[in-house]
Amino acid sequence: MALLEVKDLAVYYGVIKALDGVSFTVDEGEIVALIGANGAGKTTTLHTVTGLLPPKSGTVTYHGQDITNLPAHKIVTLGIAHVPEGRRIFQQLSVLENLKMGAYTRKDKKEIAESLEQVYAHFPRLKERKNQVAGTLSGGEQQMLAMGRAMMSRPKLIVMDEPSMGLSPLLVKEVFKIILDLHKTGATILLVEQNAQMALSIADRAYVLETGRIVSEGSGQELLQSDEIKKAYLGG
Amino acid sequence: MEILETLINGLSSGGTYAMIALGYTMVYGIAKMLNFAHGDIIMVGGYTIFVTMGLTGNPILGLLAAVLFCVVLGVVVERVAYKPLRGATPLAVLITAIGVSYLLQSVAQMIFKSSPKMVMIADLGNVEFLGLYIPMYVIVTLICSVIIMVVLSLFVRFTRTGRAMVAVSEDRGAAQLMGISVNRIITVTFAIGSALAAFAGFFMLMKSPSLTNTMGAMPGIKAFTAAVIGGIGSIPGAMVGGIVLGLIEACSYKITVIAPYTDAIEFLILILLLLVRPTGILGKKRREKV
């Protein structure tokens, strides 16, 4: 049974159809990438999965439980964390407060402290800056904070939206290395990326979205080799 | 010495404005709406004090009853009138709030008629201070509002719910992704705002015992002005804005020539300030980092 199963999802913004029957699955332990051009519906898909957007029709099943119409704040408690596009960290709060916000649904103080140490182990930079106001961090640090914050809910499935956006090539590499690290610690990852090259190179499987539909799928390597994909998304 | 007296009076009425302004600013920051019925919650608090004191004669019981009733009313108004409009255009919500305001005023008029009621809370006398005679209610108002503001600041700064309020006001979607129930936080915000309005009603009746169904209208507008002066959405901003407005008012009352125009002067200062600093004294423009 798939960890996450999305079936025939249709989402509208007013009368505009954003998703038109999107179906895909994510198995436990996988890294699955959704790639596609701007406006293809990648972010919309993630927002629907984590409950920020209600679908018009279709279902989202997680661990065999129908979560389609569950509000976002309940879905977090089931073990899905969402690292949103543009980081969306709390700029007025300190780094530490942001991380604690990630553990909002957890009550076990001792274990929260353990999670905090784990996050600091992944991101030593955050520990150095734990009392700094998050709005003053650099773009790369903010991305790390957003990922660390998501880890604080101890998720089984981490959903990431454009984690490499706006970062220098060096930082992009680092972000992808961190994604692989998180994956090694047992997290399942659903990754949305415009940087198709990088995303496909680390993904077990990937789906290609085009104007609200899934137009092809395959293993990361298969798609990397596909002429069509190369032409459309990998720059020849 | 007269300056000191003016200062103390200004700080005291500023404390009351701050109390009300906090309600406007917290609701604006968290629910992203202007609750123009907020001033009328003060009036409802006033009538609650009137009824309770009529029954028991005890002003403290009156205050407690007013806080309780206003909290319930604020939460019910939010649930019934505003919650169904979440996601609607801001204009629809604004019109609804104005409607709620008139509804509350009209219901109060139906129940209590139009003639003013006298609510003599307690004659606390004067305090002599450096040769000045300052009414005790001024001191009580000042001290209480400072305590309330400190408690509220600590609550927002150090409790889990307080931090969640800051998170929701900054980014509602991201807050939901942390597992924060936005509806619950909005309910808490309306409850706190309404409780503060009840306190403001109590302070206002201590100052002037005449109670009518429009008692909350002008202080409501002025406190809203204070919230905008301080930077709407900012909690410290509402406190600073309230105090600043109270001081301007007290000074203006002292100068005979301009005293009759005090209200106009206050709004003029708002307009001038917004020309120079559109975000208010402590308001911040959000910077996006890419």
Side-chain angles (χ1 to χ4, degrees), chain A residues 184-195:
Chain A
K184 270 188 211 130
T185 63
T188 304
I189 286 163
L190 173 58
L191 173 68
V192 152
E193 260 298 341
Q194 283 201 45
N195 189 337

Side-chain angles (χ1 to χ4, degrees), chain A residues 6-232:
Chain A
V6 171
K7 225 177 184 170
D8 293 327
L9 218 51
V11 176
Y12 287 73
Y13 292 111
V15 291
I16 298 157
K17 195 180 254 185
L19 294 186
D20 185 9
V22 167
S23 301
F24 65 92
T25 58
V26 180
D27 288 327
E28 198 147 3
E30 273 189 313
I31 298 181
V32 172
L34 289 179
I35 60 170
N38 253 339
K42 306 184 300 287
T43 295
T44 304
T45 306
L46 294 194
H47 280 199
T48 315
V49 167
T50 56
L52 287 175
L53 267 179
K56 177 140 189 177
S57 60
T59 55
V60 181
T61 316
Y62 172 73
H63 259 308
Q65 183 187 350
D66 182 1
I67 60 166
T68 316
N69 291 311
L70 227 52
H73 68 269
K74 294 256 169 66
I75 290 179
V76 189
T77 61
L78 301 175
I80 303 182
H82 185 156
V83 183
E85 184 179 7
R87 356 263 191 237
R88 292 173 71 171
I89 54 158
F90 301 110
Q91 309 220 357
Q92 298 171 42
L93 303 185
S94 71
V95 168
L96 178 61
E97 287 173 326
N98 264 279
L99 292 173
K100 282 188 174 163
M101 208 50 90
Y104 184 80
T105 56
R106 295 170 56 190
K107 303 254 154 65
D108 42 351
K109 278 209 172 132
K110 227 169 133 187
E111 288 177 43
I112 291 174
E114 277 169 26
S115 300
L116 195 60
E117 286 312 313
Q118 283 167 13
V119 170
Y120 285 154
H122 276 283
F123 308 102
R125 199 57 176 274
L126 295 182
K127 187 169 188 175
E128 287 166 29
R129 314 213 152 191
K130 63 181 174 185
N131 294 318
Q132 194 171 324
V133 174
T136 63
L137 295 178
S138 73
E141 289 163 345
Q142 291 193 5
Q143 184 59 50
M144 290 173 194
L145 179 55
M147 294 201 270
R149 186 179 67 175
M151 286 167 68
M152 290 297 291
S153 66
R154 269 197 311 199
K156 290 191 200 76
L157 172 64
I158 305 178
V159 165
M160 290 193 196
D161 198 349
E162 306 277 7
S164 76
M165 191 174 68
L167 299 182
S168 69
L170 211 66
L171 277 170
V172 170
K173 268 196 188 142
E174 183 156 357
V175 163
F176 276 93
K177 194 183 140 286
I178 291 162
I179 296 173
L180 285 172
D181 279 354
L182 290 181
H183 180 240
K184 270 188 211 130
T185 63
T188 304
I189 286 163
L190 173 58
L191 173 68
V192 152
E193 260 298 341
Q194 283 201 45
N195 189 337
Q197 177 86 49
M198 281 296 244
L200 291 177
S201 66
I202 65 161
D204 295 310
R205 289 185 306 114
Y207 295 86
V208 181
L209 265 172
E210 217 174 274
T211 55
R213 291 164 190 271
I214 287 186
V215 290
S216 67
E217 58 175 286
S219 76
Q221 290 309 315
E222 273 166 26
L223 290 176
L224 267 179
Q225 304 305 323
S226 148
D227 286 339
E228 229 173 294
I229 302 296
K230 266 187 196 164
K231 216 169 171 182

Side-chain angles (χ1 to χ4, degrees), chain B residues 61-145:
Chain B
L61 276 183
L63 175 63
L64 290 178
V67 168
L68 206 67
F69 191 68
C70 287
V71 166
V72 172
L73 180 71
V75 170
V76 167
V77 164
E78 196 281 316
R79 281 281 157 85
V80 175
Y82 304 148
K83 195 178 167 191
L85 293 177
R86 214 150 289 157
T89 64
L91 206 55
V93 188
L94 185 70
I95 293 293
T96 305
I98 293 173
V100 171
S101 165
Y102 281 110
L103 177 75
L104 293 177
Q105 288 183 19
S106 307
V107 170
Q109 191 176 31
M110 277 160 57
I111 299 173
F112 297 101
K113 309 297 175 223
S114 319
S115 58
K117 303 276 185 263
M118 285 309 195
V119 189
M120 303 302 289
I121 288 195
D123 187 4
L124 299 169
N126 294 320
V127 245
E128 202 189 329
F129 178 67
L130 296 173
L132 291 170
Y133 286 94
I134 295 165
M136 191 62 191
Y137 74 80
V138 171
I139 308 291
V140 171
T141 301
L142 184 56
I143 292 173
C144 289
S145 49

Side-chain angles (χ1 to χ4, degrees), chain B residues 119-264:
Chain B
V119 189
M120 303 302 289
I121 288 195
D123 187 4
L124 299 169
N126 294 320
V127 245
E128 202 189 329
F129 178 67
L130 296 173
L132 291 170
Y133 286 94
I134 295 165
M136 191 62 191
Y137 74 80
V138 171
I139 308 291
V140 171
T141 301
L142 184 56
I143 292 173
C144 289
S145 49
V146 168
I147 292 173
I148 291 169
M149 285 190 265
V150 169
V151 169
L152 182 70
S153 303
L154 294 176
F155 174 80
V156 171
R157 184 83 182 77
F158 292 111
T159 65
R160 186 166 168 269
T161 304
R163 298 279 77 190
M165 287 167 72
V166 176
V168 172
S169 83
E170 201 179 308
D171 187 332
R172 187 183 283 193
Q176 280 175 293
L177 292 178
M178 301 299 108
I180 297 168
S181 162
V182 170
N183 281 333
R184 195 184 77 85
I185 295 301
I186 289 177
T187 302
V188 170
T189 306
F190 270 84
I192 294 175
S194 305
L196 296 180
F199 273 98
F202 185 81
F203 297 150
M204 283 163 60
L205 287 175
M206 277 205 296
K207 188 175 181 182
S208 114
S210 166
L211 169 63
T212 66
N213 67 329
T214 53
M215 154 197 193
M218 196 58 177
I221 301 271
K222 281 204 191 168
F224 173 60
T225 307
V228 176
I229 287 176
I232 187 112
S234 154
I235 289 176
M239 299 177 184
V240 170
I243 301 290
V244 165
L245 196 73
L247 288 173
I248 292 171
E249 192 176 85
C251 294
S252 171
Y253 277 144
K254 270 282 159 199
I255 305 167
T256 326
V257 201
I258 60 168
Y261 309 109
T262 298
D263 289 351

